[in-house]
Amino acid sequence: RLRVVLEPGEEGGNTVYVPGLPGCISEGDTREEALENIREAIELYLETVEDNRTFRETAEQVEIAV
């Protein structure tokens, strides 16, 4: 669960951002659309990026829930 801030735009629509995820922002013409769009933005923000990094054989990879 994440707290989001929903702000009405001056010219209509809504802007929504996630204070706990810097740069995670979206918008929508309606409140519902803005909230749907921020859900997608959060998923993309948190998506694991696969890379070709190599780790020492003593390295340990651990997944944590936040």
Side-chain angles (χ1 to χ4, degrees), residues 5-66:
V5 177
L6 187 68
E7 295 181 340
E10 291 180 18
E11 298 180 16
N14 295 276
T15 299
V16 60
Y17 63 93
V18 186
L21 302 175
C24 189
I25 186 169
S26 192
E27 59 186 7
D29 291 332
T30 65
R31 180 181 189 277
E32 292 75 20
E33 182 180 31
L35 292 173
E36 182 179 322
N37 290 342
I38 199 65
R39 281 187 189 93
E40 182 179 344
I42 291 168
E43 289 174 4
L44 293 171
Y45 189 102
L46 297 176
E47 187 174 85
T48 305
V49 177
E50 294 294 325
D51 59 30
N52 294 325
R53 291 186 60 186
T54 56
F55 301 96
R56 288 185 252 155
E57 60 184 61
T58 56
E60 178 182 2
Q61 292 188 49
V62 179
E63 290 186 20
I64 60 172
V66 292

